Amino acid sequence: MSLFGTFDIASSALRAQSARLNAVASNLANAESATSSNGQPYRARQVVFQTAMTSAASHMPGVQVAAVIEDQAPPKLVYDPKNPLADANGYIAMPNVNVVEEMTNMLSASRAYQTNADVMNTAKTLMMRTLQLGQS
């Protein structure tokens, strides 16, 4: 494997972690919204990764997003009888977003993103130093 394969693998991870960060941002943005565009409570989205070949030439596995799925946990019921969206018992169905879990996912995704960016920088530095070997 050449160092170019390292770039392919790290860039696949950057794309996957970026999708994960987008899902976390969507979940946090909708954590307190009572209804979504379809009239139902927002459901948290989770990104599922899978191993994928980065290129036919490298023969090294990278990662890709297999699917973005909705969390099937039931919505949180909040007692607020004065809200116009409340049911006959005074409860509002709120999104099933766990803010603490989403913050943990955000930290994990951002660290993974930073690590893969560091891998690319290290590979670039190695390539630059290799080119400079015969210049002195």
Side-chain angles (χ1 to χ4, degrees):
M1 179 179 79
S2 72
L3 279 177
F4 293 113
T6 303
F7 286 112
D8 291 340
I9 295 167
S11 67
S12 73
L14 290 175
R15 283 191 299 275
Q17 294 301 333
S18 177
R20 186 175 171 204
L21 280 171
N22 286 335
V24 168
S26 176
N27 291 342
L28 289 174
N30 290 292
E32 297 295 325
S33 59
T35 61
S36 65
S37 59
N38 62 8
Q40 298 296 314
Y42 176 83
R43 290 194 171 271
R45 289 172 171 74
Q46 304 296 328
V47 176
V48 179
F49 294 156
Q50 73 178 22
T51 303
M53 297 307 289
T54 55
S55 68
S58 68
H59 302 291
M60 292 298 293
V63 65
Q64 73 178 15
V65 174
V68 178
I69 60 172
E70 288 186 347
D71 189 347
Q72 296 303 313
K76 293 185 289 186
L77 295 178
V78 176
Y79 184 71
D80 186 5
K82 294 180 182 176
N83 192 309
L85 297 174
D87 64 8
N89 297 324
Y91 286 97
I92 304 170
M94 296 295 287
N96 59 355
V97 175
N98 182 334
V99 175
V100 173
E101 184 178 306
E102 294 301 326
M103 293 298 288
T104 304
N105 284 339
M106 181 179 67
L107 287 173
S108 173
S110 66
R111 295 267 169 97
Y113 191 93
Q114 181 63 45
T115 301
N116 283 288
D118 289 345
V119 166
M120 292 181 87
N121 279 332
T122 301
K124 183 186 91 179
T125 301
L126 286 172
M127 292 178 89
M128 295 299 290
R129 289 189 180 167
T130 301
L131 291 173
Q132 293 171 347
L133 281 177
Q135 292 182 347
S136 57

